[in-house]
Amino acid sequence: LLCGKPDADSGKLVDYLIKDGRTNTSYVAEQASKDAKRSELNYRVLKRNDETTLVEVELITGRHHQIRVQMANAGWPLYGDTKYNPQFQNITEHVQTALCAYKLSFVHPKTKKIMEFCIEPDNSLLK
């Protein structure tokens, strides 16, 4: 769930991220920066309201805090994200970051069958 509204109903974000292990954060950097790794994701808007947007994200790469960093950098930080959304950084009570893997699939290491697990996303935060 994003704070803000992307103009397009779908899109691709490509950035170069650097992980800072000392602070357990990542940040967008120039492509030529030492240790910068290409980070790519696709998003699709599912629902919108005046203040938030529910999106489905497909990760093309898998970087540290990738969705959180790239969405914040695009101007749509995640609802409840105390690391990358300034709106939630000084909140003292616990707030759940509105990020959920609703579908996970992988090849079983022994049987080589595709294993897929799905849940329905919780739309309760999108009022």
Side-chain angles (χ1 to χ4, degrees):
L1 184 67
L2 308 178
C3 292
K5 298 184 280 188
D7 293 331
D9 288 337
S10 63
K12 176 184 285 199
L13 298 179
V14 177
D15 295 294
Y16 290 82
L17 303 186
I18 295 177
K19 178 181 177 181
D20 184 342
R22 291 172 291 128
T23 60
N24 191 30
T25 59
S26 290
Y27 59 93
V28 174
E30 296 295 322
Q31 179 178 355
S33 299
K34 183 180 183 294
D35 299 326
K37 294 183 179 178
R38 180 181 169 87
S39 303
E40 184 176 341
L41 62 78
N42 296 318
Y43 69 88
R44 182 172 62 95
V45 171
L46 301 176
K47 290 184 181 180
R48 300 176 193 264
N49 72 15
D50 292 339
E51 298 176 13
T52 58
T53 305
L54 183 65
V55 296
E56 177 181 63
V57 174
E58 175 192 17
L59 286 172
I60 306 303
T61 57
R63 307 289 180 220
H64 180 258
H65 293 177
Q66 180 179 341
I67 296 170
R68 297 164 68 186
V69 174
Q70 287 193 272
M71 291 301 185
N73 185 65
W76 324 304
L78 272 65
Y79 181 92
D81 189 345
T82 58
K83 282 190 188 256
Y84 302 104
N85 187 341
Q87 178 182 347
F88 289 91
Q89 285 178 345
N90 295 319
I91 292 179
T92 56
E93 70 272 3
H94 174 74
V95 178
Q96 181 67 42
T97 302
L99 177 64
C100 174
Y102 80 92
K103 181 168 69 170
L104 176 67
S105 62
F106 57 89
V107 177
H108 190 280
K110 288 191 178 187
T111 67
K112 305 301 181 204
K113 291 182 181 178
I114 295 177
M115 307 293 294
E116 186 169 275
F117 304 91
C118 298
I119 62 169
E120 285 297 317
D122 179 5
N123 296 336
S124 65
L125 289 174
L126 191 66
K127 297 174 181 151

